[in-house]
Amino acid sequence: MMTWRPELVSGEATARVERDEDVPSSFRPVIAAQRGVGETTGVVLPLPGEGVASGDPGDLPLELTRFIGRRHELALARHALERARLVTLTGTGGVGKTRLAFQLARDVSRAFDEGVRVVALADVQDPALLGHTVNAAVGIRETSSRWQLDTLVDHLRERQMLLVFDNCEHLVDAAATLADALLRSCPRLRILATSRQALNIDGESSVSVPPLSTPDPSGTLSRAAIAESEAVSLFVDRAAAALPGFELTAESESQVVELCRLLDGIPLAIELAAVRLRVLPLSELLARMGDRYRLLTHGSRTAPARHQTLRASIDWTFDLCSPEEQVLWSRLAVFTGGFGLEAAESVASGGAIEREAVLDLVSGLVDKSILTRVHDAREPRYQMLETIRQYGADRLDEAESAELGRRHRQWFVALAVRVDEDWSGPRQAQWLERLRWEHANLRTALNSCLVHDAQSGLRLVWSIENYWLARGFLAEARQWLDELSASALEPTVDRGRGLRFSAWLAVLQGDQDVVPALLEQADEVATHSGDAVLAAFVAQTWGLSALFRGDLPFAVERVEEAVSTFAKLGHRNGEIHSTFEVGLALSFSGETESAAVWHRRCNDLTTAMGETWWRSFSLWAYGIDKWRQGDIPAALELERESLRLKRQLGDQLGIAVCLEGMSWIAASEGDVDRAARLLGAADALLRQVGMPLEGIQRLWAFHQQWEDTVRRRASERSFRVAYGAGAAMAADAAVAFALREIPEPPPDQQDDQLDPLTKREQEVGELVSKGLTNREIAASLVISVRTAEKHVDRIMSKLGLANRTQIAAWVTGRGSGKP
């Protein structure tokens, strides 16, 4: 019985073999390639597993399959990254650029204080969304309706970080422009890009990623040559995973070598071929691959060489599919970022493919490794490699592509409408999760709407209003609304709802100046169309604008009217939202008894329907009221219940305000360290969401009051250490901390938490404390005077200090351990 000891090596799932007899014979060539002379134990082998576990945009994924070979390319790329601040890995599709980039990023990650952030661009079709995608990857959200380069530059200017721009080829101009701007303004930033073509900007170092090595056909086919072949090692590894028991024997090794040669060592082609061993013996596999490959090689001489080898493999795989599977493969290419089974049945059926047959055909494509099942999605969901997807799209003629685009667009508009109609019920968490999976498809549908049907695009955006809020995509939603409204000028209800939603987003982002014009336009549409629901939403939003500005009597009046109107119209979502907002406005007004009546009314309405979105907000507001009345136990229970619901929903905005409220409660109880941590976590999350608390006057007043209280009760050093530690927490960790699901750090460890200043800011602070001017600091650190000035300004901003004397006192206090 074989016993492997699991380990994590360079982020890969592996096992370490302790005895030769434990080694399957299929891996012996790999072992021979890894071992040096005289080595007998300690060889790293892969644990079973396929694919890459993908995380949120910006996370370096965990590789679940072995990274094989590429030692030479890794060394070249690493050397290039040491010499150049932009390195682009170039090569044909499927050659392994992304996997090589991720491995290099893992290897060098410790050299970057701020770590590695991945900007996944395969699903980003619109160059205008490039900036949003980079912001999401590095953890910021712009607070205006349009992406701003200065916001990103300011965030990255002094950070020592490696950005990985993955799959740039379809956005090469935009990616080149952005990379150039960032590198010119952010001296400690480096960028590693993958693309089928170089970005062609100053300072770029381009590293070509060739196919995996194969034995030299002109040389002797020795065991050593086979063991040294990266392509053979990859095929054996993947074949053993696809067909347990597969071994590289004396009889099969020449066939495997020939197969790898015919595939030109392209990793994607090798992996697809290995899977075919489930249905074909190796000899038949070799015969079919050889014929197809030679045919394509001697076909069109005008096709780019990089397409010939990969296309040979994909053509062959395509030919193995049934005619119905081939049609479905091409049709499924309309989706980006994956698709659910329901969407596939609706969009890709028709003609030769009946809706009822889609499931079996999808199953066949999964078996052939054309599709992969997304196992952590709640609903049946599948993904297609981008190269495979593009191949399918290329086989559609213009008319077919246009028709599929129309179906895709209409299906996702209809999905958004379903979300809106079903929102005030028990399925809110499921809807939010589903929309999160479909974000790339939503973008594709909206891009299509911009060209073909802007009114439907507006309907899509406003119908999933709370999704944009929950996921922190306020700025992106506003951008879509701005672009669609500029095209959809007919005064329809959809245009009116879009204008109203744009106004609400502006209120949330503190952009009150644009709100009156948007609401006046929406009101004109409501009058023109006679739509009572739109009119009620316009009235409600006037009240919400007043609530955030602090005009509480007007806010209560308008939102109470909206509650009555929505109730008469039977519009439950509008009624519940307005009910909560009346309670909030009364709470801000100090009318706590009246506010409690409205919060209980909101709780009764939502509990009866199983609604949690507005119920959780109401619980949060009611908890703040209880705290202000001195009932700390009741306040904490309400805040915790609200936070648990927000976690279930994945509501980043709601989590942030709950953390904020719980920081005030902790401060009032005298737990200043806990209050500072929660405050830091709340501030960081609100910045990411793009909703400045300053835009809500009463909440901002509470925030300032209790932050000042914590600062007075704690030393400046201890406050900043705790605040910085909270700001560094991921949202899930912050929630667990707030709910006391994880222990608080022991007192002797609290000073070891993250310093709020970067290393460069610490250096500048030390020089300020010694009395150096900005010009002297610049000369000492070999930076510009302007950069030194910005460092000083940033130190004062982070530490809440007003002048250089206070900086010097803070530095001195930190060094002595005193405030």
Side-chain angles (χ1 to χ4, degrees), residues 55-76:
D56 292 334
D59 289 337
L60 193 63
L62 173 67
E63 292 282 354
L64 298 183
T65 53
R66 289 187 68 219
F67 182 81
I68 292 176
R70 299 298 193 193
R71 293 181 180 178
H72 178 66
E73 290 77 23
L74 269 174
L76 286 177

Side-chain angles (χ1 to χ4, degrees), residues 239-287:
L243 188 67
F246 177 85
E247 297 179 355
L248 189 64
T249 65
E251 293 75 25
S252 65
E253 60 186 16
S254 62
Q255 293 177 320
V256 171
V257 169
E258 180 64 15
L259 180 64
C260 291
R261 286 173 177 166
L262 289 171
L263 292 173
D264 277 353
I266 301 292
L268 175 59
I270 291 171
E271 294 189 352
L272 290 172
V275 173
R276 298 285 75 77
L277 289 175
R278 295 173 184 168
V279 294
L280 289 173
L282 181 59
S283 58
E284 180 67 16
L285 176 65
L286 178 60

Side-chain angles (χ1 to χ4, degrees), residues 600-620:
R600 286 194 291 269
R601 177 176 171 180
C602 184
N603 186 68
D604 292 343
L605 283 170
T606 55
T607 301
M609 294 183 290
E611 197 273 356
T612 55
W613 175 265
W614 292 118
R615 177 169 175 260
S616 54
F617 273 116
S618 184
L619 290 169
W620 160 75

Side-chain angles (χ1 to χ4, degrees), residues 526-569:
T527 301
H528 179 270
S529 64
D531 190 271
V533 171
L534 172 57
F537 270 113
V538 172
Q540 177 213 51
T541 309
W542 279 116
L544 297 177
S545 176
L547 170 61
F548 278 49
R549 294 194 319 271
D551 187 354
L552 301 177
F554 181 79
V556 171
E557 176 186 347
R558 297 306 294 268
V559 183
E560 275 190 347
E561 290 177 3
V563 171
S564 177
T565 304
F566 283 127
K568 290 176 182 176
L569 295 171

